[in-house]
Amino acid sequence: MELLIQDVLWQGRRVDVAIAEGVFTAIEPAGTLEPTPSTTCLSGRHFLLRSPFYNTHTHHAMTLLRGAGEDLPLMAWLNQRIWPREARLTSELVAAGTRLAIVESLHSGCVAFNDMYFHQPAILRVAQEMGVRARVGLMVMNQVSDHIENEAALALRPTLPKTLNLCLAPHALYTTTTEQLCAMARQSEELGLPIHIHAAETLAECEIARERFHAATPVRYLDACGLLKSDTILAHCCHVTDDDLALMAQRGVTVAHCPQSNQKLGSGTFPWAKARAAGVKVTVATDGAASNNSLSMIAEVKAAALSAKLGASSPEAVTLAEVDEAATTVAARALGFANAGEIAVGREADCILVDLRLPAFAAGNNPDADFIYAADSSCVDTVICAGRIVMQNKVVPNEAAILAEAREAAAWLRKESV
Ligand SMILES: [Zn+2]
Protein backbone atom coordinates (compact mmCIF):
# COMPACT_ATOMS: atom_id res chain seq x y z
CA MET A 1 0.00 0.00 0.00
CA GLU A 2 1.25 3.47 -0.89
CA LEU A 3 -1.02 5.59 1.25
CA LEU A 4 -2.84 4.83 4.51
CA ILE A 5 -5.37 7.20 6.08
CA GLN A 6 -5.68 6.09 9.69
CA ASP A 7 -8.61 6.52 12.08
CA VAL A 8 -10.73 8.84 9.90
CA LEU A 9 -14.46 9.54 10.31
CA TRP A 10 -16.43 8.14 7.37
CA GLN A 11 -20.16 7.57 7.23
CA GLY A 12 -20.49 7.77 11.00
CA ARG A 13 -17.67 5.37 11.90
CA ARG A 14 -13.89 5.43 12.30
CA VAL A 15 -11.98 3.59 9.59
CA ASP A 16 -8.52 3.02 8.08
CA VAL A 17 -8.37 3.53 4.31
CA ALA A 18 -5.63 2.04 2.12
CA ILE A 19 -4.75 3.32 -1.35
CA ALA A 20 -2.44 1.70 -3.92
CA GLU A 21 -1.92 2.29 -7.64
CA GLY A 22 -4.55 5.00 -7.65
CA VAL A 23 -7.41 2.95 -6.20
CA PHE A 24 -8.92 2.28 -2.77
CA THR A 25 -7.65 -1.17 -1.79
CA ALA A 26 -9.13 -1.54 1.72
CA ILE A 27 -11.54 0.21 4.07
CA GLU A 28 -11.49 -1.42 7.49
CA PRO A 29 -12.33 -0.50 11.11
CA ALA A 30 -9.80 1.96 12.58
CA GLY A 31 -6.69 0.32 14.00
CA THR A 32 -6.80 -2.77 11.81
CA LEU A 33 -4.67 -1.85 8.75
CA GLU A 34 -0.89 -1.94 9.18
CA PRO A 35 1.40 0.24 7.04
CA THR A 36 4.42 -1.23 5.25
CA PRO A 37 7.81 0.55 5.52
CA SER A 38 7.16 2.42 2.27
CA THR A 39 3.59 3.53 3.13
CA THR A 40 2.84 7.24 3.58
CA CYS A 41 0.54 7.50 6.62
CA LEU A 42 -1.95 10.32 7.15
CA SER A 43 -3.63 10.68 10.51
CA GLY A 44 -7.39 11.03 10.05
CA ARG A 45 -8.04 11.67 13.72
CA HIS A 46 -9.37 15.22 13.28
CA PHE A 47 -10.88 14.67 9.86
CA LEU A 48 -14.02 13.65 8.00
CA LEU A 49 -13.40 11.58 4.86
CA ARG A 50 -15.57 12.48 1.86
CA SER A 51 -15.76 12.13 -1.88
CA PRO A 52 -14.54 15.28 -3.59
CA PHE A 53 -16.68 17.36 -5.94
CA TYR A 54 -16.59 17.24 -9.77
CA ASN A 55 -17.42 20.58 -11.41
CA THR A 56 -19.34 20.01 -14.67
CA HIS A 57 -19.25 23.48 -16.28
CA THR A 58 -16.32 25.88 -16.09
CA HIS A 59 -14.32 28.52 -17.94
CA HIS A 60 -11.38 28.24 -15.59
CA ALA A 61 -9.03 30.90 -16.95
CA MET A 62 -11.77 33.49 -16.47
CA THR A 63 -10.38 33.83 -12.94
CA LEU A 64 -8.24 36.56 -14.56
CA LEU A 65 -11.43 38.43 -15.59
CA ARG A 66 -13.12 38.17 -12.20
CA GLY A 67 -14.83 41.43 -11.28
CA ALA A 68 -14.67 42.87 -14.80
CA GLY A 69 -18.15 44.11 -15.69
CA GLU A 70 -20.31 43.69 -12.64
CA ASP A 71 -24.08 44.17 -12.85
CA LEU A 72 -24.40 44.02 -16.66
CA PRO A 73 -26.88 41.87 -18.64
CA LEU A 74 -25.31 38.76 -20.21
CA MET A 75 -25.00 40.02 -23.80
CA ALA A 76 -23.71 43.48 -22.78
CA TRP A 77 -21.29 41.83 -20.35
CA LEU A 78 -19.93 39.54 -23.09
CA ASN A 79 -19.78 42.23 -25.79
CA GLN A 80 -18.43 45.12 -23.73
CA ARG A 81 -16.27 43.56 -21.06
CA ILE A 82 -15.42 39.94 -21.66
CA TRP A 83 -14.84 39.46 -25.38
CA PRO A 84 -12.55 42.54 -25.77
CA ARG A 85 -10.34 41.21 -22.96
CA GLU A 86 -10.45 37.65 -24.24
CA ALA A 87 -9.25 38.91 -27.61
CA ARG A 88 -5.89 39.62 -25.89
CA LEU A 89 -5.48 36.19 -24.29
CA THR A 90 -2.38 34.08 -24.85
CA SER A 91 -1.59 30.49 -24.03
CA GLU A 92 0.51 31.66 -21.04
CA LEU A 93 -2.31 33.80 -19.65
CA VAL A 94 -4.77 30.91 -19.96
CA ALA A 95 -2.28 28.66 -18.13
CA ALA A 96 -1.93 31.24 -15.32
CA GLY A 97 -5.70 31.69 -14.96
CA THR A 98 -6.32 27.95 -15.02
CA ARG A 99 -3.72 27.32 -12.31
CA LEU A 100 -5.41 29.90 -10.10
CA ALA A 101 -8.82 28.28 -10.72
CA ILE A 102 -7.46 24.84 -9.85
CA VAL A 103 -5.99 26.18 -6.59
CA GLU A 104 -9.37 27.65 -5.63
CA SER A 105 -11.20 24.49 -6.67
CA LEU A 106 -8.91 22.25 -4.66
CA HIS A 107 -9.47 24.40 -1.58
CA SER A 108 -13.20 23.74 -1.92
CA GLY A 109 -12.62 20.00 -2.24
CA CYS A 110 -13.07 19.73 -6.01
CA VAL A 111 -10.83 17.49 -8.16
CA ALA A 112 -12.32 17.82 -11.65
CA PHE A 113 -13.52 20.45 -14.09
CA ASN A 114 -15.32 20.48 -17.44
CA ASP A 115 -13.70 23.38 -19.24
CA MET A 116 -14.91 25.37 -22.19
CA TYR A 117 -12.13 27.80 -22.99
CA PHE A 118 -9.35 28.82 -25.36
CA HIS A 119 -5.76 27.60 -25.81
CA GLN A 120 -6.87 24.11 -24.79
CA PRO A 121 -3.40 22.46 -24.84
CA ALA A 122 -2.37 24.85 -22.05
CA ILE A 123 -5.42 23.79 -19.99
CA LEU A 124 -4.59 20.10 -20.47
CA ARG A 125 -0.95 20.69 -19.54
CA VAL A 126 -1.79 22.60 -16.35
CA ALA A 127 -4.41 20.04 -15.23
CA GLN A 128 -1.87 17.25 -15.70
CA GLU A 129 0.88 19.16 -13.86
CA MET A 130 -1.40 19.84 -10.88
CA GLY A 131 -2.73 16.26 -10.81
CA VAL A 132 -6.43 17.00 -11.22
CA ARG A 133 -9.04 15.59 -13.58
CA ALA A 134 -10.36 17.60 -16.50
CA ARG A 135 -12.53 17.34 -19.56
CA VAL A 136 -11.50 19.96 -22.10
CA GLY A 137 -13.76 21.06 -24.93
CA LEU A 138 -12.93 21.55 -28.61
CA MET A 139 -14.78 24.80 -29.18
CA VAL A 140 -16.88 26.37 -31.87
CA MET A 141 -17.69 30.03 -31.36
CA ASN A 142 -17.81 32.84 -33.89
CA GLN A 143 -16.39 35.40 -31.45
CA VAL A 144 -12.72 35.66 -30.33
CA SER A 145 -12.14 32.45 -32.23
CA ASP A 146 -8.44 33.17 -32.91
CA HIS A 147 -7.56 31.51 -29.62
CA ILE A 148 -9.25 28.19 -30.33
CA GLU A 149 -6.71 25.37 -30.66
CA ASN A 150 -8.94 22.40 -31.44
CA GLU A 151 -6.54 20.56 -33.71
CA ALA A 152 -3.62 20.84 -31.30
CA ALA A 153 -5.83 19.55 -28.46
CA LEU A 154 -7.10 16.67 -30.59
CA ALA A 155 -3.52 15.74 -31.50
CA LEU A 156 -2.79 15.30 -27.78
CA ARG A 157 -5.69 12.86 -27.34
CA PRO A 158 -3.63 9.63 -27.63
CA THR A 159 -1.15 10.92 -25.04
CA LEU A 160 -3.66 11.93 -22.35
CA PRO A 161 -3.63 10.12 -18.98
CA LYS A 162 -6.93 8.61 -17.84
CA THR A 163 -7.56 11.66 -15.64
CA LEU A 164 -7.96 13.85 -18.75
CA ASN A 165 -10.37 13.61 -21.68
CA LEU A 166 -11.82 15.73 -24.47
CA CYS A 167 -15.28 16.67 -25.65
CA LEU A 168 -16.84 18.91 -28.29
CA ALA A 169 -17.94 22.24 -26.83
CA PRO A 170 -19.83 24.48 -29.23
CA HIS A 171 -20.34 27.63 -27.10
CA ALA A 172 -24.08 28.26 -27.45
CA LEU A 173 -26.81 28.57 -30.07
CA TYR A 174 -26.36 32.36 -30.19
CA THR A 175 -22.62 32.20 -31.05
CA THR A 176 -22.82 29.47 -33.71
CA THR A 177 -24.72 28.62 -36.89
CA THR A 178 -27.03 25.66 -37.51
CA GLU A 179 -24.48 24.25 -39.95
CA GLN A 180 -21.76 24.40 -37.30
CA LEU A 181 -23.90 22.65 -34.69
CA CYS A 182 -24.97 19.92 -37.11
CA ALA A 183 -21.31 19.43 -38.07
CA MET A 184 -20.43 19.10 -34.37
CA ALA A 185 -23.10 16.42 -33.95
CA ARG A 186 -21.57 14.46 -36.85
CA GLN A 187 -18.05 14.95 -35.51
CA SER A 188 -19.20 13.74 -32.11
CA GLU A 189 -20.19 10.41 -33.70
CA GLU A 190 -17.04 10.16 -35.83
CA LEU A 191 -14.60 10.94 -33.04
CA GLY A 192 -16.53 9.37 -30.16
CA LEU A 193 -16.47 12.65 -28.23
CA PRO A 194 -19.36 13.86 -26.05
CA ILE A 195 -21.00 17.30 -26.31
CA HIS A 196 -20.89 20.18 -23.80
CA ILE A 197 -22.88 23.35 -24.56
CA HIS A 198 -24.66 26.27 -22.86
CA ALA A 199 -28.41 25.73 -23.17
CA ALA A 200 -31.54 27.71 -22.28
CA GLU A 201 -29.57 30.02 -20.02
CA THR A 202 -31.53 33.25 -20.55
CA LEU A 203 -34.86 34.41 -21.94
CA ALA A 204 -32.89 36.27 -24.64
CA GLU A 205 -31.53 32.91 -25.80
CA CYS A 206 -35.09 31.51 -26.00
CA GLU A 207 -36.05 34.46 -28.17
CA ILE A 208 -33.06 33.86 -30.49
CA ALA A 209 -34.09 30.18 -30.77
CA ARG A 210 -37.57 31.26 -31.86
CA GLU A 211 -36.73 34.19 -34.11
CA ARG A 212 -33.41 33.22 -35.70
CA PHE A 213 -33.87 29.44 -35.80
CA HIS A 214 -37.70 29.09 -35.74
CA ALA A 215 -37.52 26.56 -32.90
CA ALA A 216 -39.99 26.29 -30.02
CA THR A 217 -37.22 26.25 -27.40
CA PRO A 218 -33.40 26.14 -27.23
CA VAL A 219 -33.55 22.48 -26.14
CA ARG A 220 -35.74 21.57 -29.14
CA TYR A 221 -33.34 23.40 -31.46
CA LEU A 222 -30.24 21.65 -30.06
CA ASP A 223 -32.03 18.32 -30.42
CA ALA A 224 -32.90 19.10 -34.03
CA CYS A 225 -29.17 19.72 -34.61
CA GLY A 226 -28.47 16.24 -33.19
CA LEU A 227 -26.69 17.39 -30.05
CA LEU A 228 -28.81 15.76 -27.34
CA LYS A 229 -27.25 12.39 -26.56
CA SER A 230 -26.72 10.20 -23.50
CA ASP A 231 -23.30 11.72 -22.76
CA THR A 232 -24.24 15.36 -23.54
CA ILE A 233 -23.86 18.01 -20.82
CA LEU A 234 -26.19 21.01 -21.05
CA ALA A 235 -25.12 23.96 -18.90
CA HIS A 236 -27.71 26.13 -17.09
CA CYS A 237 -31.13 25.00 -18.46
CA CYS A 238 -32.98 27.77 -16.60
CA HIS A 239 -35.70 28.02 -19.23
CA VAL A 240 -36.88 24.51 -19.95
CA THR A 241 -40.49 23.48 -20.48
CA ASP A 242 -42.06 20.23 -19.27
CA ASP A 243 -41.74 18.95 -22.85
CA ASP A 244 -38.03 19.90 -22.87
CA LEU A 245 -37.47 17.98 -19.61
CA ALA A 246 -39.24 14.91 -20.99
CA LEU A 247 -37.07 15.06 -24.11
CA MET A 248 -33.89 15.58 -22.07
CA ALA A 249 -34.75 12.53 -19.95
CA GLN A 250 -35.48 10.48 -23.06
CA ARG A 251 -32.15 11.42 -24.62
CA GLY A 252 -30.33 10.81 -21.33
CA VAL A 253 -28.53 14.19 -21.19
CA THR A 254 -27.01 15.60 -18.00
CA VAL A 255 -27.64 19.13 -16.74
CA ALA A 256 -24.79 21.20 -15.31
CA HIS A 257 -26.80 23.32 -12.88
CA CYS A 258 -25.05 26.65 -12.15
CA PRO A 259 -27.21 28.23 -9.43
CA GLN A 260 -24.93 31.11 -8.38
CA SER A 261 -24.14 32.24 -11.93
CA ASN A 262 -27.86 32.03 -12.77
CA GLN A 263 -28.76 34.09 -9.72
CA LYS A 264 -26.02 36.66 -10.14
CA LEU A 265 -26.80 37.27 -13.82
CA GLY A 266 -30.53 37.11 -13.11
CA SER A 267 -30.79 34.40 -15.77
CA GLY A 268 -33.46 32.25 -14.17
CA THR A 269 -33.94 29.19 -11.98
CA PHE A 270 -33.30 25.64 -13.08
CA PRO A 271 -36.32 23.57 -11.94
CA TRP A 272 -34.46 20.77 -10.15
CA ALA A 273 -37.49 19.08 -8.57
CA LYS A 274 -39.33 18.97 -11.90
CA ALA A 275 -36.21 17.72 -13.68
CA ARG A 276 -35.79 14.91 -11.18
CA ALA A 277 -39.45 13.97 -11.49
CA ALA A 278 -38.93 13.81 -15.28
CA GLY A 279 -35.86 11.57 -14.80
CA VAL A 280 -33.18 14.06 -15.93
CA LYS A 281 -29.64 13.61 -14.56
CA VAL A 282 -28.47 16.70 -12.64
CA THR A 283 -24.99 17.82 -11.57
CA VAL A 284 -23.68 21.07 -10.06
CA ALA A 285 -21.21 23.57 -11.53
CA THR A 286 -19.73 26.96 -10.80
CA ASP A 287 -19.54 28.39 -14.35
CA GLY A 288 -16.64 30.84 -14.81
CA ALA A 289 -15.25 33.14 -12.13
CA ALA A 290 -16.25 36.22 -14.12
CA SER A 291 -19.94 35.42 -13.68
CA ASN A 292 -20.14 33.67 -10.29
CA ASN A 293 -17.61 34.95 -8.95
CA SER A 294 -16.62 32.14 -6.61
CA LEU A 295 -15.21 28.79 -7.65
CA SER A 296 -16.12 27.19 -4.34
CA MET A 297 -18.02 24.00 -5.01
CA ILE A 298 -19.08 23.92 -1.34
CA ALA A 299 -20.88 27.24 -1.83
CA GLU A 300 -22.27 26.08 -5.17
CA VAL A 301 -23.75 22.86 -3.81
CA LYS A 302 -25.38 24.79 -0.98
CA ALA A 303 -26.78 27.28 -3.49
CA ALA A 304 -28.08 24.41 -5.64
CA ALA A 305 -29.96 22.95 -2.71
CA LEU A 306 -31.33 26.34 -1.66
CA SER A 307 -32.47 27.30 -5.15
CA ALA A 308 -34.21 23.92 -5.59
CA LYS A 309 -35.99 24.27 -2.25
CA LEU A 310 -36.97 27.89 -2.87
CA GLY A 311 -37.98 27.21 -6.49
CA ALA A 312 -40.32 24.41 -5.41
CA SER A 313 -41.40 26.18 -2.18
CA SER A 314 -40.54 23.00 -0.30
CA PRO A 315 -37.65 21.88 1.93
CA GLU A 316 -38.23 18.37 0.55
CA ALA A 317 -37.55 19.44 -3.06
CA VAL A 318 -34.01 18.06 -2.87
CA THR A 319 -32.40 16.08 -0.06
CA LEU A 320 -28.87 16.47 1.26
CA ALA A 321 -28.02 13.01 -0.06
CA GLU A 322 -29.34 13.87 -3.54
CA VAL A 323 -27.45 17.15 -3.89
CA ASP A 324 -24.31 15.47 -2.54
CA GLU A 325 -24.61 12.58 -5.02
CA ALA A 326 -25.28 15.03 -7.89
CA ALA A 327 -22.00 16.86 -7.25
CA THR A 328 -19.94 13.69 -6.69
CA THR A 329 -20.99 10.33 -8.16
CA VAL A 330 -23.33 11.59 -10.89
CA ALA A 331 -20.89 14.31 -11.93
CA ALA A 332 -17.85 12.00 -12.05
CA ARG A 333 -19.79 9.66 -14.34
CA ALA A 334 -20.98 12.54 -16.54
CA LEU A 335 -17.36 13.62 -17.04
CA GLY A 336 -16.30 10.16 -18.17
CA PHE A 337 -14.67 9.13 -14.87
CA ALA A 338 -17.03 6.23 -14.35
CA ASN A 339 -14.88 4.47 -11.77
CA ALA A 340 -14.42 7.59 -9.61
CA GLY A 341 -16.83 9.65 -7.51
CA GLU A 342 -17.38 7.10 -4.76
CA ILE A 343 -15.32 5.89 -1.80
CA ALA A 344 -15.34 2.10 -2.12
CA VAL A 345 -12.77 -0.67 -2.56
CA GLY A 346 -11.78 -0.95 -6.22
CA ARG A 347 -12.83 2.61 -7.06
CA GLU A 348 -10.30 5.23 -8.18
CA ALA A 349 -8.98 6.94 -5.08
CA ASP A 350 -10.40 10.46 -5.06
CA CYS A 351 -11.15 11.81 -1.58
CA ILE A 352 -10.83 14.78 0.73
CA LEU A 353 -10.09 15.22 4.44
CA VAL A 354 -12.26 17.85 6.12
CA ASP A 355 -11.06 19.56 9.31
CA LEU A 356 -13.59 18.78 12.06
CA ARG A 357 -11.86 21.14 14.53
CA LEU A 358 -13.58 24.17 12.96
CA PRO A 359 -16.67 25.80 14.55
CA ALA A 360 -19.08 24.56 11.85
CA PHE A 361 -18.45 20.96 12.94
CA ALA A 362 -18.46 21.43 16.73
CA ALA A 363 -22.02 20.20 17.30
CA GLY A 364 -21.33 17.15 15.17
CA ASN A 365 -24.94 16.10 14.62
CA ASN A 366 -24.44 15.57 10.89
CA PRO A 367 -20.87 16.28 9.67
CA ASP A 368 -21.81 15.89 5.97
CA ALA A 369 -24.60 18.48 6.39
CA ASP A 370 -22.17 20.71 8.29
CA PHE A 371 -19.74 20.49 5.38
CA ILE A 372 -22.28 21.56 2.74
CA TYR A 373 -24.50 23.94 4.70
CA ALA A 374 -22.27 25.46 7.39
CA ALA A 375 -18.62 25.27 6.35
CA ASP A 376 -16.51 26.98 3.69
CA SER A 377 -13.28 26.23 1.82
CA SER A 378 -11.19 26.79 4.96
CA CYS A 379 -12.26 23.36 6.21
CA VAL A 380 -10.67 21.29 3.42
CA ASP A 381 -7.27 20.10 4.66
CA THR A 382 -6.17 17.44 2.18
CA VAL A 383 -7.23 16.49 -1.35
CA ILE A 384 -6.33 13.20 -3.01
CA CYS A 385 -6.96 12.67 -6.74
CA ALA A 386 -6.40 9.28 -8.38
CA GLY A 387 -4.34 8.23 -5.37
CA ARG A 388 -2.06 11.25 -5.40
CA ILE A 389 -2.02 13.98 -2.72
CA VAL A 390 -2.68 17.24 -4.60
CA MET A 391 -3.29 19.48 -1.57
CA GLN A 392 -2.10 18.94 2.00
CA ASN A 393 -2.26 21.00 5.22
CA LYS A 394 -4.54 23.43 3.31
CA VAL A 395 -1.84 24.33 0.78
CA VAL A 396 -1.50 23.42 -2.90
CA PRO A 397 2.13 22.88 -4.06
CA ASN A 398 3.54 26.17 -5.47
CA GLU A 399 0.43 28.03 -4.33
CA ALA A 400 2.20 31.34 -3.59
CA ALA A 401 3.93 31.32 -6.99
CA ILE A 402 0.63 30.48 -8.75
CA LEU A 403 -1.11 33.44 -7.07
CA ALA A 404 1.77 35.80 -7.92
CA GLU A 405 1.68 34.69 -11.56
CA ALA A 406 -2.11 35.17 -11.72
CA ARG A 407 -1.88 38.70 -10.23
CA GLU A 408 0.62 39.67 -12.89
CA ALA A 409 -1.42 38.08 -15.71
CA ALA A 410 -4.65 39.82 -14.62
CA ALA A 411 -2.85 43.17 -14.34
CA TRP A 412 -1.57 42.78 -17.89
CA LEU A 413 -5.05 42.01 -19.21
CA ARG A 414 -6.51 44.95 -17.28
CA LYS A 415 -4.12 47.44 -18.92
CA GLU A 416 -5.83 49.43 -21.68
CA SER A 417 -9.11 47.57 -21.09
CA VAL A 418 -12.41 49.24 -20.21
ZN1 LIG B 1 -20.64 29.07 -18.99
Side-chain angles (χ1 to χ4, degrees), residues 124-346:
L124 289 164
R125 192 180 68 244
V126 165
Q128 188 165 3
E129 277 168 17
M130 296 180 74
V132 298
R133 299 176 185 271
R135 167 169 285 180
V136 174
L138 309 184
M139 285 184 72
V140 171
M141 177 176 177
N142 294 329
Q143 285 78 9
V144 288
S145 56
D146 291 355
H147 305 302
I148 294 172
E149 293 189 57
N150 290 351
E151 281 173 23
L154 197 55
L156 293 172
R157 192 180 185 192
T159 69
L160 297 178
K162 64 181 180 177
T163 46
L164 299 177
N165 61 50
L166 302 177
C167 71
L168 300 180
H171 176 261
L173 66 82
Y174 55 89
T175 45
T176 53
T177 64
T178 305
E179 292 68 31
Q180 285 170 325
L181 291 186
C182 292
M184 276 261 148
R186 284 195 301 275
Q187 241 192 324
S188 163
E189 292 298 316
E190 287 160 17
L191 297 171
L193 291 176
I195 300 285
H196 172 206
I197 186 167
H198 292 102
E201 181 174 359
T202 62
L203 285 171
E205 182 184 332
C206 297
E207 199 177 310
I208 293 170
R210 280 194 303 273
E211 304 204 339
R212 195 186 299 170
F213 302 114
H214 314 293
T217 66
V219 167
R220 286 274 155 194
Y221 171 68
L222 297 178
D223 188 55
C225 294
L227 294 176
L228 300 199
K229 299 194 291 183
S230 62
D231 49 8
T232 297
I233 294 181
L234 299 181
H236 298 283
C237 297
C238 301
H239 302 284
V240 284
T241 64
D242 291 349
D243 282 351
D244 287 338
L245 289 170
L247 179 64
M248 288 156 67
Q250 193 189 337
R251 298 282 186 259
V253 306
T254 299
V255 173
H257 173 31
C258 308
Q260 296 200 103
S261 169
N262 295 341
Q263 288 175 37
K264 186 158 182 289
L265 299 177
S267 302
T269 309
F270 165 67
W272 187 322
K274 274 183 160 187
R276 181 195 44 210
V280 176
K281 290 175 279 187
V282 182
T283 61
V284 179
T286 57
D287 206 356
S291 55
N292 186 314
N293 303 352
S294 156
L295 293 183
S296 165
M297 277 294 285
I298 302 173
E300 204 65 42
V301 171
K302 177 175 179 176
L306 300 192
S307 85
K309 290 168 189 287
L310 184 62
S313 301
S314 166
E316 295 169 311
V318 60
T319 63
L320 177 68
E322 186 186 3
V323 77
D324 206 348
E325 191 184 7
T328 56
T329 320
V330 179
R333 208 175 294 141
L335 295 179
F337 307 119
N339 200 34
E342 196 182 358
I343 295 174
V345 172

